[in-house]
Amino acid sequence: MTLTIHPSRYQSFQDEKKIYLLFEYVAGGEVFTHLRRSGKFNDNLAKFYAAEIVLALEHMHRHNIVYRDLKPENLLIDHQGHIKITDFGFAKRVIDRTFTLCGTPEYLAPEIIQSTGHGKAVDWWALGILIFEMLAGYPPFYDDDTFKIYEKILKGRINFPTFFDLDAKDLIKRLLTADRTRRLGALKDGAQDVKNHKWFSSINWENLYNRTVPGPFVPQVQFQGDSSNFEMYEEEPMCDFTPPGFVDPYAQLFKDF
């Protein structure tokens, strides 16, 4: 067996059958795990995470990348308490509109459900859902039935808990605007409109971008490779779909691929 190594900050490896990607280990675990453990986040913590996500979406959208899978499970916390967005399987370069139905039901924008074509605006809708979930502990359109989730999203009725900060409530309403031509973040000034909202008035965006702002919550990491911040799941057995005795007639053509 031969192994090809491509030097880089992180690395990729390959043998005759598989490609292996080596990523950074983010020891703080998923935002999902910490949110479920605490029930809900306080306003300061939710604002910090939301602000870092705004910067990430701004960067992606500048390069015409629509993320399309924002949710607590895809947000990791590093050892300094900063957010790392992961799982770009649904991300796509979109100049105008795309029509693929993809994403997590509770986070889908109306235009995705209605298959009318969607673009960057769906990420700002998802941010509104995420902020609500971080502050309330549950998404605004939750239901056990997927089709009822879609119905609730299309009706657009949001029941805010009484303890919500008024500025947070206003921001969420502006992000969860069904008409994407009026949705905050999707207007002429893009992400800047979101950054200028009153709920983010305490955020120093330049310092946040330069990571000179400490995270309000720093996860406990006892040692390198500590996995205590992650939920433990049973591993699924590895499947090899190669038929017994199969010989790839094109293997030589791709040995250095």
Side-chain angles (χ1 to χ4, degrees), residues 33-227:
T33 301
H34 294 286
L35 183 56
R36 291 298 173 265
R37 287 175 181 174
S38 62
K40 61 181 183 292
F41 292 155
N42 63 46
D43 195 76
N44 188 46
L45 184 59
K47 186 181 302 181
F48 179 84
Y49 291 158
E52 291 206 322
I53 293 163
V54 168
L55 291 177
L57 292 179
E58 181 179 38
H59 177 76
M60 284 187 268
H61 291 177
R62 190 178 295 128
H63 295 277
N64 294 315
I65 301 297
V66 185
Y67 178 53
R68 303 197 298 180
D69 205 14
L70 189 62
K71 59 182 177 180
E73 295 92 324
N74 286 345
L75 302 172
L76 301 178
I77 305 173
D78 71 11
H79 65 286
Q80 295 179 321
H82 293 281
I83 285 290
K84 298 269 188 177
I85 299 180
T86 187
D87 194 350
F88 282 71
F90 287 148
K92 184 177 182 179
R93 188 169 185 269
V94 178
I95 303 299
D96 182 25
R97 284 189 294 172
T98 185
F99 293 84
T100 310
L101 175 62
C102 63
T104 301
E106 290 90 347
Y107 277 72
L108 295 184
E111 59 264 32
I112 297 180
I113 297 171
Q114 295 171 323
S115 299
T116 55
H118 62 270
K120 300 168 188 173
V122 301
D123 286 339
W124 297 115
W125 173 280
L127 178 65
I129 300 289
L130 179 69
I131 294 173
F132 185 102
E133 182 169 0
M134 288 194 293
L135 291 172
Y138 55 88
F141 304 115
Y142 176 76
D143 198 285
D144 290 328
D145 186 312
T146 300
F147 289 102
K148 288 184 178 178
I149 292 173
Y150 295 160
E151 287 178 358
K152 289 181 178 181
I153 291 171
L154 295 178
K155 286 179 181 177
R157 297 195 190 113
I158 308 170
N159 295 316
F160 288 93
T162 55
F163 59 80
F164 260 45
D165 176 269
L166 291 179
D167 291 331
K169 185 176 177 180
D170 181 74
L171 174 61
I172 291 168
K173 283 183 176 180
R174 291 172 182 268
L175 291 169
L176 299 184
T177 298
D179 183 352
R180 62 190 171 197
T181 65
R182 298 173 55 236
R183 188 177 304 156
L184 201 68
L187 307 176
K188 178 184 175 183
D189 293 325
Q192 192 60 46
D193 288 332
V194 181
K195 293 160 77 172
N196 288 341
H197 190 275
K198 193 174 180 181
W199 192 58
F200 287 121
S201 60
S202 62
I203 298 294
N204 184 314
W205 292 99
E206 183 177 355
N207 290 346
L208 189 69
Y209 179 84
N210 292 322
R211 290 172 59 96
T212 58
V213 180
F217 163 71
V218 178
Q220 292 186 352
V221 180
Q222 304 297 330
F223 54 88
Q224 188 174 9
D226 184 2
S227 62

